[in-house]
Amino acid sequence: MILGAIEAGGTKFVLAVGNEKGEITEKISIPTRNPEETMKEIHDFFKGKNIEALGIGCFGPLELNKDKEKYGFITSTPKLAWADYDILGNLRKNLGVPVEISTDVSGAALGEITFGDYKDEHTLLYITIGTGIGGGYVIDGKIHNGMLHPEMGHILMSRHPEDTFEGSCPYHGNCFEGMASGPANEKRTGMKGTEIPDDHKSFDYIASYIAEALMSYILVLSPTKIVLGGGVMGRTRMFPEIRRILSEKLNGYVKTDQLGDLLHYITEPSLGTESGIKGALALALMAE
Ligand code: ZN
């Protein structure tokens, strides 16, 4: 089966052709322009490739309630050219194949559980901590959406006692994204992300915020596997510190095999940087 996949981000779109085994045969990256120009490039890339279905993991917010008139629309994004844009409808019209859509991070969660090392997991939580922070949750092979898709990056944080940064979220100040995203730390330190050394004090705070968020997700969702991706997680000291602080915070309250083995419970994406695009292939398999 020939499948198309799109990972749509605010700065670039990754376009790929692959199959139902999660194998990618061709992949390109294009800069995100306005919808008309981007749609033309998507059309040109997939033309003649005989894809039978397409999956897209897209930046949001998105309307994902199939009962709503604006199902498949990008809604209130600050990327104004894309606000209130019917991306699902336009892709269906443009490519003439069934299309399935989800958020980029839910797509990554689906990619990990469908094509990664975590196929046997009953539930999987994928959190990305980078330019933004978001989470996707898959239960028995299905992405969890409700009233809308989860917005896990915006839960409130209790401030680290030594951190004086007020937080950068325009809506909440000191929410998870406002305290621990890459741009938040640039604002906190006054340095470019690439200039902040790994041993900078700010990463102590960020590890603590991530551990605090994970504690909430564990208590609310009880995931059987947690995968952490995104640029901030590329810092080598983050994983061990997050596991250590999380263990302290949980303080022995929840007793499970998984929490006894945090090394395997809280882990890196098994698909590396391809969780998102392979997740889009998994979405294509669900397209109707
Ligand atoms: Zn927020």
Side-chain angles (χ1 to χ4, degrees):
M1 200 174 180
I2 305 173
L3 301 170
I6 300 178
E7 188 181 9
T11 53
K12 65 173 181 175
F13 272 50
V14 179
L15 315 178
V17 176
N19 62 28
E20 72 282 4
K21 294 177 193 154
E23 294 159 345
I24 288 171
T25 49
E26 195 179 342
K27 187 169 80 168
I28 63 161
S29 175
I30 59 169
T32 305
R33 299 197 176 91
N34 65 43
E36 291 69 32
E37 288 171 325
T38 308
M39 276 296 155
K40 185 176 182 313
E41 287 195 69
I42 290 170
H43 182 82
D44 291 347
F45 174 75
F46 287 111
K47 198 169 149 188
K49 299 214 160 81
N50 299 319
I51 59 167
E52 293 162 69
L54 178 94
I56 175 169
C58 188
F59 66 86
L62 302 171
E63 176 57 78
L64 294 177
N65 184 336
K66 291 189 179 181
D67 298 332
K68 293 278 174 72
E69 193 187 329
K70 294 203 168 175
Y71 170 64
F73 276 58
I74 296 171
T75 58
S76 59
T77 174
K79 299 174 241 311
L80 286 179
W82 292 88
D84 204 33
Y85 181 71
D86 181 10
I87 191 161
L88 178 69
N90 277 288
L91 284 170
R92 282 177 172 157
K93 200 164 65 180
N94 187 330
L95 301 171
V97 296
V99 182
E100 180 73 13
I101 188 167
S102 192
T103 65
D104 41 8
V105 67
S106 290
L110 188 69
E112 284 292 325
I113 210 161
T114 311
F115 298 125
D117 291 345
Y118 312 126
K119 292 189 182 79
D120 297 333
E121 295 299 333
H122 167 53
T123 55
L124 184 143
L125 174 66
Y126 186 104
I127 306 288
T128 182
I129 304 143
T131 312
I133 297 183
Y137 193 44
V138 177
I139 309 169
D140 293 329
K142 271 194 78 176
I143 291 169
H144 171 74
N145 289 308
M147 177 181 67
L148 60 149
H149 47 80
E151 286 284 5
M152 299 194 200
H154 293 270
I155 59 171
L156 291 178
M157 297 279 105
S158 48
R159 195 180 305 280
H160 186 286
E162 293 161 35
D163 187 10
T164 54
F165 181 54
E166 70 277 15
S168 66
C169 177
Y171 293 90
H172 319 112
N174 62 319
C175 68
F176 188 15
E177 183 172 287
M179 297 305 272
S181 65
N185 207 32
E186 291 191 336
K187 210 168 165 194
R188 174 189 283 112
T189 58
M191 286 190 264
K192 279 201 157 152
T194 48
E195 291 165 3
I196 311 172
D198 271 2
D199 60 1
H200 195 274
K201 188 86 189 142
S202 60
F203 289 112
D204 294 350
Y205 312 153
I206 288 173
S208 174
Y209 295 133
I210 296 171
E212 184 181 340
L214 293 187
M215 177 167 165
S216 296
Y217 303 145
I218 288 167
L219 295 172
V220 174
L221 301 172
S222 210
T224 54
K225 178 72 76 182
I226 298 178
V227 180
L228 303 180
V232 172
M233 294 312 301
R235 303 276 178 171
T236 48
R237 76 181 171 109
M238 293 306 270
F239 274 96
E241 281 202 35
I242 291 164
R243 292 187 189 110
R244 180 182 61 75
I245 301 167
L246 174 65
S247 191
E248 277 174 23
K249 284 182 187 290
L250 283 166
N251 199 22
Y253 180 70
V254 184
K255 290 184 176 57
T256 63
D257 292 344
Q258 281 95 340
L259 289 177
D261 180 15
L262 289 184
L263 194 63
H264 293 102
Y265 181 51
I266 293 169
T267 182
E268 294 173 39
S270 67
L271 299 172
T273 55
E274 293 204 311
S275 317
I277 196 70
K278 289 194 173 180
L281 281 180
L283 284 167
L285 285 171
M286 299 172 170
E288 51 190 33

